[in-house]
Amino acid sequence: MSDPSGVIDPGTSAAPPPPRRGGWRPTLLHGVGRPWLFVAPVLLALAVVIGYPVVRAVWMSFQKDAGIDEATGMFVEGGNAGFTNYTHWLLQQCQLPTGGVESCPTGNLGSQFWAAIVVTLLFTVVTVALEATIGLGMAMIMGKTFRGRALLRAAVLIPWAIPTAVTARLWEFMFQYDGVVNRVLGTHILWQTDPTWSRVAVIVADVWKTTPFMALLILAGLQVIPGDVYEAARVDGASAWQRFTQITLPLLRPALLVAVLFRTMDALRLYDLPAIMTQGNPDTRTISILVVDQVRQGANSASALSVITFLMIFAVAFVLVKVLGANAVATQEEQRKAH
């Protein structure tokens, strides 16, 4: 209560203000709905750019291609094909005595598909392993302190900065029969047509092109490692090899796993290097090249192949994220416990 002089009695609490009536607080701007309001434009853009093409490709993969019916010679419209487009790629095999995927008829696409899968996995495993190993060595050198280090880092990134089509054309000239490679090595190898050496040529060109990318990612991980750890190891008498195996590799594992993950996803979609360098050699035909070749013959059958390729890459990415991601998290937890 207050006296006539206007002084409020300290023992009396002020009455709460009356509740506001008629007001409305939108849930999208407060509480749980606010994050979705900011994420909604990005989700909408992803749905248009990524979601619609994927859904459209899946729908087309179950449709027949319009064309001439071999039995009647009449033009027929496309219709529901069921899983026929998928069985053409996954089940049918070429049984011609001449062998080779280039001798398979159009209807027997299974051998072409599995041959392209083998070539794609071969390129992925070999190139990623070589690029990770060479990139680690390049990152170790670029991480040292010496005069001209900035110039070396800029020079190393030149192969990665060159467009892939230009790189493929450059190596195509070098791997010709009378090119630089045969003259330097003193050999007479048909790099563009030989089943084995054509794959070696593509692997060499891809390693030269993409190793700087791996080295850049690994170098970023090296720069995070504190120098005090190496100084303490030197004081304890650890050798250079012990410091590399006991300090560098364990602390560099998260960055190395991320580099391997990104590079693996890129290698599974390899197209331009073998397509330009070997110019349609079936021994270097990757799954992406097979998709592009099939688009010229039938869009719906190519859509089925695209869906299969998408599922394959998604499965590989899922396994790598689960396995490599778990290892990276475990490594970070070990580092926190050690500190």
Side-chain angles (χ1 to χ4, degrees):
M1 304 224 11
S2 59
D3 55 8
S5 62
V7 179
I8 299 177
D9 187 1
T12 305
S13 59
R20 301 172 58 182
R21 297 181 179 179
W24 176 69
R25 299 175 62 183
T27 57
L28 289 179
L29 297 178
H30 298 81
V32 181
R34 179 178 296 181
W36 288 103
L37 180 65
F38 294 104
V39 176
V42 179
L43 295 179
L44 180 61
L46 291 177
V48 174
V49 177
I50 299 177
Y52 174 75
V54 171
V55 174
R56 178 68 175 176
V58 172
W59 180 82
M60 291 178 61
S61 66
F62 292 100
Q63 304 298 316
K64 295 180 180 179
D65 291 315
I68 303 298
D69 188 1
E70 297 180 357
T72 61
M74 302 294 292
F75 180 82
V76 293
E77 296 289 342
N80 184 20
F83 290 93
T84 304
N85 292 329
Y86 291 92
T87 57
H88 275 306
W89 292 110
L90 298 176
L91 301 180
Q92 294 189 11
Q93 300 293 323
C94 180
Q95 302 294 338
L96 296 182
T98 56
V101 294
E102 67 277 6
S103 61
C104 292
T106 305
N108 295 328
L109 303 174
S111 293
Q112 298 184 35
F113 170 75
W114 292 112
I117 290 292
V118 172
V119 172
T120 302
L121 294 179
L122 174 66
F123 285 160
T124 301
V125 173
V126 176
T127 56
V128 172
L130 291 176
E131 289 164 6
T133 304
I134 301 175
L136 177 60
M138 295 171 59
M140 295 289 293
I141 296 175
M142 291 187 295
K144 302 294 184 181
T145 302
F146 56 90
R147 181 176 298 179
R149 183 178 64 175
L151 180 61
L152 176 62
R153 291 181 177 181
V156 165
L157 292 177
I158 290 177
W160 185 46
I162 298 177
T164 307
V166 178
T167 300
R169 185 64 67 181
L170 171 66
W171 283 99
E172 179 192 358
F173 292 149
M174 295 176 62
F175 278 115
Q176 289 180 355
Y177 183 76
D178 56 348
V180 177
V181 176
N182 276 338
R183 291 186 179 183
V184 171
L185 299 179
T187 57
H188 303 281
I189 300 175
L190 299 176
W191 295 96
Q192 296 177 338
T193 57
D194 186 84
T196 301
W197 292 111
S198 59
R199 296 176 180 178
V200 173
V202 174
I203 290 173
V204 170
D206 189 66
V207 170
W208 180 85
K209 164 70 177 176
T210 323
T211 298
F213 172 75
M214 297 283 287
L216 185 64
L217 294 180
I218 297 174
L219 178 61
L222 283 175
Q223 293 180 340
V224 178
I225 302 176
D228 298 340
V229 180
Y230 292 102
E231 293 296 334
R234 290 191 186 96
V235 172
D236 293 337
S239 62
W241 177 252
Q242 289 175 338
R243 294 194 299 268
F244 176 74
T245 56
Q246 302 296 329
I247 297 176
T248 303
L249 285 182
L251 297 180
L252 189 62
R253 187 182 301 174
L256 188 60
L257 295 182
V258 171
V260 170
L261 175 62
F262 276 98
R263 185 65 195 105
T264 301
M265 295 298 98
D266 191 30
L268 289 173
R269 298 179 289 106
L270 183 63
Y271 170 79
D272 34 17
L273 270 178
I276 297 175
M277 287 183 59
T278 60
Q279 299 178 357
N281 185 353
D283 297 304
T284 59
R285 182 185 296 158
T286 61
I287 191 67
S288 297
I289 296 178
L290 187 60
V291 171
V292 175
D293 292 342
Q294 185 61 29
V295 168
R296 301 186 179 99
Q297 302 179 16
N300 294 331
S301 179
S303 297
L305 182 59
S306 300
V307 173
I308 297 173
T309 305
F310 169 77
L311 294 177
M312 180 191 70
I313 297 178
F314 178 80
V316 174
F318 181 80
V319 171
L320 289 178
V321 169
K322 285 294 183 181
V323 176
L324 302 184
N327 292 336
V329 172
T331 302
Q332 293 177 355
E333 292 179 355
E334 292 175 359
Q335 294 177 8
R336 286 194 295 267
K337 292 180 181 180
H339 291 291

